[in-house]
Amino acid sequence: MFDVAALGELLIDFTPAGISNAGNELFEKNPGGAPANVLAAVSKLGKSTAFLGMVGEDQFGIFLKEVLKKNGINVTGMKFSKEINTTLAFVHLDEKGDRSFSFYRKPGADMMLTKDDIDYDVIKNSKIFHFGSISMTDEPSRSATLAAVEFAKANGLIISYDPNFRPPLWKSAGDAVENMKVGLKYADILKISEEELELITGIKDMDKGAAMLYDMGVKVVLVTLGPRGCFYRYKGGTGRLDTYDTKVVDTTGAGDSFLGGVLYRLSEKRLEDICQLPKDEFEDIIDFSNAIGSLTATKKGAIPAMPTLEEVNMCRKQVPKLRYGK
C-alpha cells in the first residue's frame, strides 16, 4: 500500500553552479519534475510513495531511476522510451533566487506515456493520487494522465492537483488554461500559485478566486505566495499563514515540497475527515508545510534539498516567521 502515488514528468534540472575559469556559467545536473519532487518530499518525511511516468533510455533516465530508488520511491510504474530522450530543463535564477526555465522537450520522453503504460495496480493500492498539468500539454501523455486520474477517482483515492503553469510548454496561454481547468474537475486538494489562480479564474482578488475554485468542487484550495506564505480555503474557513525566514538560495521545488508536506500530513485521513478538520489543526498542517518549503529553498536543486522530519521540527521551533500582515 502506498501513501501517495504521482504521475507526470521526471526530468533533469540543470541548475546554476557558479562560473568556470573561462568565465562561463556552469550548470549542475539535478533530478527534477514536480510530481517526483512531491514524492521525494513525502518519502523523506517517512511515508511510502510510487512514481508513474516515462524517461528516455539514456544516461539521464537511468540516473533518474536510481535517484528515485535512493529516495525510497517505488519505480514499478516507471517506463523507458527507446526512441525519445529524457526531458532537460535549464534553470535560471535571479538575484532573489527566483527561477525561470528553458526546456528541451520537443518531444521529451515524459510526453510519450500512453494509457497502456500505466500500472493501474500501483494506483489502486494507493491512498492519494497526485498529478499536474505538464503531463497534459501533449498527446499521448494527456490521455494517459486523464485515464489514470479517472481510475484513481473511481477507486476512491484522494486526488491532489497542481496546475504548475510553465508558459514555454504550451501552445498558448489559452490552451494552457483550457487544459488546466480539466484537471480541476477531479481535484480534491489543489496547490496553486497566486499567478496561476488569476490566470485560471480571471479574478485578481485571492479570496474570491479561491472561493470560485472551492465552489467548483475543490475541497482544499492552497494558494502559495512565496515569501508571504500560504492562503487557504476549505470547509472550516479561510486564512493566510506566514512562512519561515530562511536564507533563500534556490526556490526550485519549494512549492512541491510544501505540497509534499500537506500530503504527508493528510495521507492517513479520509477525505470527509479532512474537510471536517478544526481550523487550528488545519493551520498546523499548513505551518508544517510552510517550514518544509522554506527549508527546501535554502539549498540548490529540488529533490536533493528536501528536508527531514527532524529538520522541519527544528525549523518550526527555532526559525522566526516572515511577517507580512493580513
Side-chain angles (χ1 to χ4, degrees):
M1 192 75 182
F2 301 107
D3 293 294
V4 183
L7 179 148
E9 71 279 7
L10 178 61
L11 47 83
I12 299 293
D13 281 335
F14 281 104
T15 53
I19 303 297
S20 72
N21 292 334
N24 298 316
E25 188 173 12
L26 297 173
F27 287 88
E28 181 180 27
K29 178 182 71 175
N30 277 303
N37 293 342
V38 171
L39 292 180
V42 176
S43 182
K44 194 75 174 282
L45 294 168
K47 295 293 186 179
S48 59
T49 62
F51 174 77
L52 301 103
M54 182 172 285
V55 294
E57 198 171 78
D58 50 35
Q59 60 170 317
F60 295 127
I62 294 168
F63 164 74
L64 289 168
K65 181 179 180 179
E66 291 307 309
V67 168
L68 294 193
K69 289 170 64 177
K70 184 179 178 181
N71 281 272
I73 300 169
N74 182 282
V75 293
T76 302
M78 186 175 179
K79 306 298 180 182
F80 287 85
S81 170
K82 295 181 180 295
E83 292 80 25
I84 308 299
N85 289 336
T86 302
T87 295
L88 309 179
F90 283 82
V91 183
H92 311 283
L93 301 176
D94 64 20
E95 62 278 1
K96 296 180 181 179
D98 290 326
R99 74 270 188 270
S100 58
F101 298 87
S102 297
F103 289 94
Y104 290 77
R105 187 183 183 247
K106 293 186 177 181
D110 61 291
M111 298 160 54
M112 298 296 106
L113 189 75
T114 70
K115 291 186 283 188
D116 293 336
D117 289 321
I118 296 169
D119 190 328
Y120 293 95
D121 285 339
V122 169
I123 300 175
K124 192 172 184 179
N125 290 311
S126 300
K127 300 173 185 176
I128 296 174
F129 178 79
H130 172 69
F131 74 111
S133 73
I134 289 178
S135 59
M136 296 193 290
T137 57
D138 295 273
E139 292 290 359
S141 61
R142 178 189 290 123
S143 294
T145 301
L146 295 178
V149 71
E150 286 172 0
F151 180 84
K153 197 79 170 177
N155 280 271
L157 276 70
I158 296 171
I159 308 297
S160 165
Y161 175 51
D162 177 6
N164 198 27
F165 180 51
R166 295 286 180 263
L169 299 182
W170 295 94
K171 298 179 180 68
S172 66
D175 181 50
V177 171
E178 181 181 345
N179 282 280
M180 288 191 291
K181 283 184 175 178
V182 173
L184 292 174
K185 297 177 183 178
Y186 303 95
D188 299 309
I189 300 169
L190 174 70
K191 194 278 284 183
I192 189 168
S193 72
E194 193 172 11
E195 296 76 18
E196 290 161 351
L197 179 68
E198 183 177 355
L199 177 68
I200 291 174
T201 65
I203 299 173
K204 192 172 183 65
D205 183 278
M206 190 162 46
D207 195 356
K208 292 179 180 178
M212 174 186 285
L213 298 176
Y214 181 81
D215 290 341
M216 290 172 61
V218 180
K219 304 296 190 299
V220 175
V221 180
L222 304 169
V223 186
T224 52
L225 307 171
R228 292 185 290 123
C230 174
F231 176 87
Y232 68 85
R233 176 179 286 274
Y234 82 120
K235 187 175 181 180
T238 65
R240 187 190 65 80
L241 270 70
D242 290 312
T243 192
Y244 288 83
D245 190 7
T246 56
K247 181 177 173 56
V248 175
V249 173
D250 178 4
T251 58
T252 305
D256 301 326
S257 64
F258 165 86
L259 180 56
V262 172
L263 300 186
Y264 164 79
R265 289 287 298 269
L266 297 181
S267 61
E268 295 181 356
K269 299 182 184 299
R270 298 179 304 167
L271 182 59
E272 52 266 37
D273 295 331
I274 293 170
C275 297
Q276 300 295 334
L277 279 174
K279 199 169 183 179
D280 60 338
E281 289 185 31
F282 190 86
E283 289 195 342
D284 186 68
I285 293 170
I286 303 300
D287 184 75
F288 174 87
S289 304
N290 276 341
I292 297 175
S294 297
L295 288 170
T296 302
T298 64
K299 300 177 183 178
K300 290 184 178 180
I303 291 177
M306 301 298 175
T308 63
L309 183 59
E310 182 181 5
E311 289 170 329
V312 176
N313 291 334
M314 188 174 296
C315 174
R316 297 181 77 189
K317 290 178 181 178
Q318 298 181 359
V319 178
K321 298 281 186 67
L322 280 166
R323 301 296 181 184
Y324 270 85
K326 298 300 180 185

